[in-house]
Amino acid sequence: GYTVKYSGYLEHQDEPFCTNCYSKSPGLMKLGKDITLRGLEIGLLTMKKGEVARFVFTPEYAYGRQGCPPLIPPNATVLFEVEVLDFLDSDESDSFFELTAEQQDTFPLQKVLKVADTEREFGNYLYRKRHFEGAKDRYKRAFSILGRSPSSEAEQCQINASKLLVLLNLSLTYLKLERPAQALAYGEKALEIDQRNAKALFRCGQACLCMTEYEKARDFLVRAQHIQPFNHDINNELKKLASCYRDYMEKEKEMCCRMFAPPSSSS
């Protein structure tokens, strides 16, 4: 899939007949599906991420003999300005998920790790676009294929490293989706792999704070702070916890006072 900015021009015209340059965040487009202009398909295959190019397409690489009335006249030569903002190759990943579970199990581990990595990259792309539901689904797809049994300690290390990244991303995404119980569950799974992972401890602390489980939140955040004493996010979360806890205690005190207050005497 490509994220591209493009503008298409007819000969001798200053204004583009099509462009997505006004869009703040262009979506991911697939060759042959979202990008069907023959010239563009060929042109994009020659480009790298971050590259800007100009292509001139003769009619057979553009809109053909008929053109595309009323916008494109017959036999039109067109110019396209293209910038590749991002590129994610999902072909291998897509075909892997079309296989049966038995077929997937026969794949070499390195290929499985590559597919998981691609899915995580897609999740990251969707996360950056604030499509948290879609990102969560991609991360879950990645996690679903990382459950295979390793044949050596080195393989176990590789699987764990891949799992850890996905679990941290799932925990963060569930926080964004305002589902702290799931965020905590995935954070704790990450801690099973690496109990001194400051990010995992931080996510668990955030999740507990969201659920007003202040003691548990403090425990996780203090452990995270021991590992990274100068981390601003961790220190700010501890301040936030202290403030929430103070408010909570004051409300509790107020409620107790009201419960045990003597009945007001009527004059």
Side-chain angles (χ1 to χ4, degrees):
Y2 289 83
T3 313
V4 295
K5 281 203 165 180
Y6 63 83
S7 295
Y9 299 86
L10 290 166
E11 278 185 300
H12 317 304
Q13 287 196 3
D14 297 330
E15 288 299 311
F17 62 83
C18 71
T19 183
N20 72 342
C21 287
Y22 304 121
S23 166
K24 264 188 187 168
S25 56
L28 205 64
M29 297 193 289
K30 290 192 114 176
L31 293 181
K33 189 177 167 196
D34 310 297
I35 300 166
T36 51
L37 205 68
R38 191 173 165 219
L40 264 184
E41 285 191 61
I42 297 166
L44 280 169
L45 289 170
T46 69
M47 293 180 72
K48 297 188 196 74
K49 182 176 169 179
E51 193 176 345
V52 181
R54 277 183 165 191
F55 297 108
V56 175
F57 301 135
T58 53
E60 62 268 32
Y61 287 96
Y63 298 95
R65 246 188 251 167
Q66 273 78 38
C68 193
L71 216 51
I72 316 290
N75 285 317
T77 293
V78 295
L79 177 134
F80 266 82
E81 287 179 352
V82 185
E83 181 182 359
V84 176
L85 304 173
D86 214 340
F87 168 70
L88 288 166
D89 184 4
S90 67
D91 288 348
E92 199 175 358
S93 175
D94 291 343
S95 51
F96 178 84
F97 283 103
E98 283 164 16
L99 301 172
T100 64
E102 291 77 27
Q103 288 171 321
Q104 287 181 5
D105 284 342
T106 64
F107 258 61
L109 178 67
Q110 294 314 313
K111 273 204 166 184
V112 174
L113 291 174
K114 192 177 171 215
V115 168
D117 203 42
T118 301
E119 287 301 305
R120 189 173 56 80
E121 285 286 335
F122 258 98
N124 293 349
Y125 169 81
L126 292 166
Y127 182 93
R128 289 195 298 271
K129 301 281 181 192
R130 304 190 68 77
H131 299 318
F132 300 125
E133 200 63 52
K136 178 257 297 173
D137 292 342
R138 286 288 185 171
Y139 295 143
K140 278 194 155 179
R141 269 217 316 181
F143 189 62
S144 73
I145 62 169
L146 291 170
R148 67 159 54 190
S149 305
S151 59
S152 67
E153 206 172 309
E155 280 197 359
Q156 184 64 72
C157 286
Q158 285 184 298
I159 292 168
N160 282 351
S162 197
K163 261 188 186 176
L164 188 61
L165 292 173
V166 174
L167 288 168
L168 289 170
N169 287 356
L170 272 165
S171 185
L172 177 60
T173 307
Y174 272 113
L175 282 172
K176 292 289 184 187
L177 288 166
E178 295 177 5
R179 290 160 71 181
Q182 279 93 337
L184 176 61
Y186 282 110
E188 286 179 324
K189 275 185 201 278
L191 289 171
E192 285 170 25
I193 294 171
D194 177 8
Q195 60 181 19
R196 283 181 55 80
N197 189 287
K199 264 187 185 174
L201 291 164
F202 178 55
R203 301 268 177 266
C204 290
Q206 282 180 297
C208 290
L209 181 51
C210 289
M211 294 187 286
T212 67
E213 293 185 16
Y214 298 125
E215 297 295 329
K216 270 177 88 173
R218 187 179 179 281
D219 179 49
F220 281 122
L221 292 169
V222 166
R223 279 162 68 194
Q225 194 187 44
H226 278 316
I227 296 159
Q228 292 189 1
F230 304 110
N231 184 308
H232 287 300
D233 292 334
I234 296 169
N235 293 332
N236 286 339
E237 201 71 10
L238 275 162
K239 281 180 198 161
K240 189 172 150 190
L241 168 65
S243 157
C244 290
Y245 190 65
R246 200 165 48 243
D247 290 349
Y248 166 75
M249 289 309 285
E250 278 169 11
K251 278 184 187 138
E252 288 281 293
K253 203 167 133 190
E254 232 175 81
M255 209 163 76
C256 286
C257 289
R258 277 206 299 275
M259 276 168 67
F260 298 109
S264 55
S265 54
S266 51
S267 52

